[in-house]
Amino acid sequence: TFLFSTFADCKEPVVYADSTETIVYTVKEKDFLIRLGKLYFKNPGSWRKVAMMNNINPPYWIYPRQRLIIPVSLLKGKPISAEVEIATGDVKVKRRETDIWQVLKEKDLLFYGDSAKTGKDGRLVVKYSDGTVLQLAPKSIMSVKLALQTDENTAFRQFMIKAGKIINHVSK
């Protein structure tokens, strides 16, 4: 089982095996912990907790391409969904509130907490409002662990790949 995280401003997605309670953020030019706190955290002062978790000591310098582990519970934002663009063959969804797999069709929405699976002849393509596209290959299972929009230009998404293959095209 792998956890797949994307951050809409990143050029490449990050794949890592870890807890579902954190994301990995890749530092960009001109990023500062205090600025990240103001932009992305419910409590802007939470940058100190992120510094501690990542063993960053005073004067709290961070560098481009450095990866920071950030607890999901610190992030602000509103939940976002993805629209199903293509659902061919055997494609099913299990909603967060149930244990029942149901048929997933084009124009349906995939939400935070949902799981999707494809059979041997199944193919699923979903698209987020920022243009980010996920493709689930045949014989695959994935769960949407996080889908938050923090502002008009930034979204955090995290997917658990339980079996098979997922292809992600990150926009912006």
Side-chain angles (χ1 to χ4, degrees):
T1 302
F2 286 97
L3 192 59
F4 181 83
S5 251
T6 66
F7 174 70
D9 289 347
C10 293
K11 290 189 168 113
E12 293 183 26
V14 177
V15 178
Y16 65 103
D18 202 355
S19 152
T20 59
E21 300 301 319
T22 61
I23 64 158
V24 174
Y25 174 82
T26 303
V27 176
K28 300 182 305 278
E29 292 274 337
K30 301 181 182 175
D31 272 348
F32 295 93
L33 283 172
I34 292 172
R35 182 174 179 268
L36 294 178
K38 289 177 183 174
L39 290 174
Y40 305 126
F41 303 157
K42 293 176 197 171
N43 175 354
S46 295
W47 67 266
R48 287 178 184 87
K49 183 182 276 190
V50 172
M52 187 175 71
M53 285 185 67
N54 289 276
N55 297 316
I56 301 169
N57 298 312
Y60 303 111
W61 296 111
I62 56 176
Y63 303 94
R65 294 179 301 287
Q66 179 179 354
R67 292 185 177 176
L68 301 176
I69 296 171
I70 301 173
V72 170
S73 61
L74 299 181
L75 297 173
K76 66 180 176 182
K78 65 175 184 164
I80 54 175
S81 60
E83 183 174 322
V84 175
E85 288 197 325
I86 299 170
T88 58
D90 183 18
V91 180
K92 295 189 176 167
V93 64
K94 182 169 65 169
R95 300 292 180 192
R96 164 177 55 192
E97 316 81 33
T98 71
D99 284 331
I100 300 168
W101 288 96
Q102 304 167 0
V103 173
L104 188 61
K105 305 178 299 281
E106 291 177 11
K107 304 293 181 200
D108 283 350
L109 296 177
L110 202 57
F111 299 98
Y112 158 74
D114 289 348
S115 295
K117 73 176 178 178
T118 53
K120 66 179 182 176
D121 65 341
R123 179 170 173 248
L124 174 64
V125 177
V126 298
K127 186 175 186 177
Y128 285 90
S129 60
D130 68 356
T132 298
V133 175
L134 277 177
Q135 298 178 40
L136 196 59
K139 295 169 44 175
S140 298
I141 303 172
M142 70 107 179
S143 297
V144 181
K145 294 297 183 186
L146 175 70
L148 289 175
Q149 187 83 33
T150 57
D151 62 36
E152 68 181 53
N153 296 314
T154 309
F156 291 98
R157 288 180 284 282
Q158 197 168 62
F159 310 96
M160 178 78 68
I161 304 167
K162 296 181 179 179
K165 179 177 170 184
I166 190 170
I167 300 167
N168 187 50
H169 302 278
V170 180
S171 228
K172 298 183 182 182

